[in-house]
Amino acid sequence: MDESELIRRYFAPLGAKRSDVSLGIGDDAALLAVPVGCELVMTTDVLVEGVHFLPGAPARSLGHRALAVNLSDIAAMGASPSWMLLSLILPQAQEGWLAEFCAGLAPLAERHAVALVGGNLSRGPLSITVELAGLVPAGQALRRAGASPGEALYVSGTPGDAAAGRRLAHDTGAQAHAAAGQATEGADPPSQDADRSALVARFEYPTPRVALGAALRGLASACIDVSDGLYIDAGRMLGASGCAARIDTALLPISQPLCAFAAQAGWSAEYTQQLVLSGGEDYELCFCAAPERESALHALAATLGERITRIGAVTAGAGVCLTSSNPASAPLLEGATFDHFGR
Amino acid sequence: MDESELIRRYFAPLGAKRSDVSLGIGDDAALLAVPVGCELVMTTDVLVEGVHFLPGAPARSLGHRALAVNLSDIAAMGASPSWMLLSLILPQAQEGWLAEFCAGLAPLAERHAVALVGGNLSRGPLSITVELAGLVPAGQALRRAGASPGEALYVSGTPGDAAAGRRLAHDTGAQAHAAAGQATEGADPPSQDADRSALVARFEYPTPRVALGAALRGLASACIDVSDGLYIDAGRMLGASGCAARIDTALLPISQPLCAFAAQAGWSAEYTQQLVLSGGEDYELCFCAAPERESALHALAATLGERITRIGAVTAGAGVCLTSSNPASAPLLEGATFDHFGR
């Protein structure tokens, strides 16, 4: 099966149908109608085997993640995603792999009304590049720059889950390899198994906060998506804003599965906090807002069914400082880093 | 030097400055102003080491080609290029390589007023992905579909040069390797050397026909860029148009360097014709136009300093048939293919 047949079978049917696509897959380029009053938003991100994922990672998860990481960038701008290009470099055209990849990518594209309008398939070492374009009312995009001292610092969701899930997915992969050649080992208790699955799912199928990002326009003063870790990415946003921040580690949201699994697995509180602050791959939004927005933000989060947590305050100066309002738990040292996979 | 430092040093200064870039490199995504009355054009193409170029290929040429192949797609739509994203996967961050790569990419981006607005650097097996966006007056883009029986078939430039140059570049690479370990061999005569250099330059530094593509709006009925070979790509355009074509092999334009080098190297006329029809990597435009456009097209080509050649006629039916108006030179068999590198 050659490139054009693979595209016809797997990629041409993929994604949302949009009336603003004048010409999609199959010509030298796509033609797209940008509404008057909107700015175009463009981003790209890549997943490379051996760097962003291990050999043998499930193709369905890769299909989901390749789009999710780009949706998260669009969300951080307060924009709505529209059109994607997909460049897939594959060692060989395995139809089973392609079908699984598309089964991961297609539902996410449809859920966010993203049309696949072009791309290419090439032979080579496995990597997946998605370029995603979106739209935002002109002049209303969220940026990293814009925060001011006195504002509050927020994060969506529960960072740390994905980093824990990544570790567990890799451990599980190693265990599976080991089990294939050795005696079967004792299984985890069922509750730990459910927590483990929940955490692995947060890594393999991250949820980009697209609706939340769009709803933050006019409320947030600055926004960034958390891909490299909350501590690092908050620092980038505040650096771009010319401000500093204090994160209160006692306020960091920690999910029930992460709490429970960490307790059962004997992970230290320090290690769990490192996952939350520096684990990365969260694809949550970190943003700043004036204190008087607090109730509007919580009403918004409730409407959208999203969790947002005030984790600190924007201050004058530079850098992100960790403090704790709970005297029993000292924060990590400022600038502590974690064994960050792949960047 | 980490990713953000490399981006600051090599990529942030690269490309044209455009007033329609509201926000460029350095946030989660770029923000761009699309003028009212224009459609957005989006394309992407990738160069993979070992597939689209050999290990050790000159970085300067790769920088040029990575953008040129995308500019050619934009040209084939009759559009003007605007904004690019660059995703570079590199085994290691060699500054000498990056400087050469940018020295190939930057002048071409500036010549065509393309701003670099984002992208990423990742570690991994070498590949280069460019996503290029452009603008075209709404409803006026050229497409592959649109040709009608009775129209004339044209090609720009002199296809075949790049394929000859690719062969010579690879032979030269092989000779250089051989010479390093063995006795020096006799050099080519100077005139052959100049022809060889001209052909290699056509492969390493192809010229996308951007101004010609834009000028063909309203004149051409259908257009495609010739990347996989004139015969194959003409067939794609005519297939999309629901037509057939006859190419008169006696009309095919052959460059002076290709003629001269082929004669000196003892390449057969059949081999040279295969290079012209099926060699690929030409990045010329192949297009159709009504017969009454002939003089307007030639006036346009003269104004732009471009060569265009009528090579055949659009007919009813399907497929591309090769004929020859020169009884002394029979055409190749229809559908003959050449040792095509990499697709």
Side-chain angles (χ1 to χ4, degrees):
Chain A
M1 192 173 292
D2 72 2
E3 180 184 348
S4 59
E5 280 170 20
L6 289 169
I7 290 170
R8 229 185 332 268
R9 177 169 306 183
Y10 291 101
F11 296 105
L14 196 156
K17 306 294 164 239
R18 293 178 63 102
S19 61
D20 55 13
V21 177
S22 312
L23 185 64
I25 290 176
D27 211 298
D28 285 350
L31 291 171
L32 309 156
V34 174
V36 173
C38 277
E39 268 177 321
L40 177 68
V41 188
M42 279 174 71
T43 190
T44 181
D45 219 339
V46 61
L47 301 180
V48 181
E49 183 177 71
V51 179
H52 304 98
F53 60 91
L54 294 181
R60 190 182 290 239
S61 161
L62 295 177
H64 178 98
R65 284 174 61 200
L67 178 55
V69 299
N70 282 281
L71 285 168
S72 185
D73 282 328
I74 295 287
M77 306 301 290
S80 299
S82 309
W83 313 299
M84 69 180 285
L85 302 169
L86 170 67
S87 295
L88 206 47
I89 305 179
L90 293 170
Q92 65 264 332
Q94 280 189 306
E95 292 204 54
W97 191 95
L98 281 169
E100 276 296 295
F101 179 84
C102 291
L105 181 54
L108 193 63
E110 282 162 30
R111 189 173 322 139
H112 293 287
V114 173
L116 177 65
V117 299
N120 49 68
L121 284 178
S122 298
R123 203 173 293 266
L126 181 58
S127 74
I128 308 151
T129 304
V130 166
E131 306 89 49
L132 187 59
L135 299 168
V136 66
Q140 294 185 34
L142 301 174
R143 303 178 180 213
R144 294 182 182 181
S148 306
E151 292 181 343
L153 180 67
Y154 294 86
V155 72
S156 67
T158 51
D161 292 351
R166 183 182 64 222
R167 175 180 160 166
L168 297 175
H170 295 173
D171 286 356
T172 307
Q175 276 178 14
H177 281 291
Q182 299 174 5
T184 314
E185 301 186 31
D188 293 326
S191 68
Q192 192 173 5
D193 229 43
D195 294 327
R196 174 195 296 271
S197 299
L199 295 172
V200 170
R202 296 291 301 134
F203 167 60
E204 293 186 337
Y205 299 94
T207 307
R209 306 299 178 184
V210 177
L212 177 62
L216 287 175
R217 291 198 313 263
L219 286 174
S221 59
C223 189
I224 191 168
D225 91 306
V226 181
S227 54
D228 289 344
L230 177 56
Y231 182 85
I232 286 176
D233 287 319
R236 287 182 179 140
M237 173 177 62
L238 291 154
S241 294
C243 296
R246 235 181 9 251
I247 293 180
D248 181 349
T249 58
L251 299 179
L252 290 173
I254 301 183
S255 73
Q256 183 280 324
L258 181 54
C259 272
F261 190 88
Q264 290 173 322
W267 290 355
S268 70
E270 286 71 24
Y271 181 74
T272 305
Q273 197 180 97
Q274 273 189 316
L275 291 173
V276 175
L277 282 169
S278 308
E281 316 258 3
D282 301 301
Y283 305 108
E284 298 295 348
L285 298 180
C286 178
F287 57 96
C288 302
E292 61 268 26
R293 304 293 197 191
E294 175 92 10
S295 60
L297 285 170
H298 283 290
L300 176 73
T303 305
L304 296 174
E306 299 279 13
R307 176 172 180 170
I308 63 168
T309 307
R310 186 174 54 77
I311 57 168
V314 182
T315 58
V320 175
C321 145
L322 301 178
T323 62
S324 177
S325 56
N326 177 357
S329 75
L332 290 170
L333 286 179
E334 182 177 335
T337 56
F338 175 63
D339 61 319
H340 183 231
F341 175 72
R343 298 282 162 73
Chain B
M1 193 173 292
D2 72 1
E3 180 184 348
S4 60
E5 282 170 20
L6 290 169
I7 290 170
R8 228 185 333 267
R9 178 169 305 184
Y10 292 101
F11 296 104
L14 195 157
K17 307 293 164 240
R18 294 178 63 102
S19 61
D20 54 13
V21 177
S22 312
L23 185 64
I25 289 177
D27 212 299
D28 286 350
L31 291 172
L32 308 156
V34 174
V36 174
C38 277
E39 267 176 322
L40 176 69
V41 189
M42 280 175 71
T43 189
T44 182
D45 218 339
V46 61
L47 301 180
V48 181
E49 183 177 72
V51 179
H52 304 99
F53 60 92
L54 294 181
R60 188 180 291 240
S61 160
L62 295 178
H64 178 99
R65 283 173 63 201
L67 178 55
V69 301
N70 282 281
L71 285 168
S72 186
D73 282 327
I74 295 288
M77 306 302 289
S80 299
S82 310
W83 312 299
M84 68 181 284
L85 302 169
L86 171 65
S87 295
L88 207 47
I89 305 179
L90 293 170
Q92 65 264 335
Q94 280 190 305
E95 291 205 54
W97 191 95
L98 281 169
E100 276 295 296
F101 179 84
C102 291
L105 180 54
L108 192 63
E110 281 162 30
R111 190 174 319 140
H112 293 288
V114 173
L116 177 64
V117 298
N120 48 68
L121 285 177
S122 298
R123 203 173 292 266
L126 182 58
S127 74
I128 307 150
T129 304
V130 167
E131 307 87 49
L132 187 59
L135 299 168
V136 66
Q140 294 184 36
L142 302 174
R143 303 178 181 213
R144 294 183 182 179
S148 306
E151 293 181 342
L153 180 68
Y154 293 86
V155 73
S156 67
T158 50
D161 292 351
R166 183 181 63 221
R167 175 179 160 166
L168 297 174
H170 295 174
D171 286 356
T172 306
Q175 276 177 16
H177 281 291
Q182 297 173 7
T184 313
E185 302 187 29
D188 293 328
S191 68
Q192 193 172 2
D193 229 42
D195 293 328
R196 174 196 295 270
S197 298
L199 295 172
V200 169
R202 296 290 302 131
F203 166 60
E204 292 185 337
Y205 298 94
T207 308
R209 306 299 180 184
V210 177
L212 178 61
L216 288 176
R217 292 199 311 264
L219 287 173
S221 59
C223 188
I224 191 169
D225 92 304
V226 180
S227 54
D228 289 343
L230 177 56
Y231 182 84
I232 285 176
D233 287 319
R236 287 182 179 140
M237 173 176 63
L238 292 154
S241 295
C243 297
R246 235 181 8 250
I247 292 179
D248 181 349
T249 58
L251 298 179
L252 290 173
I254 301 184
S255 74
Q256 183 280 324
L258 181 54
C259 270
F261 190 89
Q264 290 173 321
W267 291 355
S268 70
E270 286 72 23
Y271 181 74
T272 305
Q273 197 178 97
Q274 272 187 317
L275 291 174
V276 175
L277 283 169
S278 307
E281 317 258 2
D282 301 301
Y283 305 107
E284 298 295 348
L285 298 180
C286 178
F287 57 95
C288 303
E292 61 270 25
R293 305 291 197 189
E294 175 91 9
S295 61
L297 284 170
H298 283 288
L300 175 73
T303 304
L304 295 174
E306 298 279 14
R307 177 172 180 170
I308 63 168
T309 307
R310 185 174 55 76
I311 57 168
V314 182
T315 58
V320 175
C321 146
L322 301 177
T323 63
S324 177
S325 56
N326 176 356
S329 73
L332 291 170
L333 286 179
E334 182 177 335
T337 55
F338 176 62
D339 61 318
H340 184 232
F341 175 73
R343 302 281 163 75

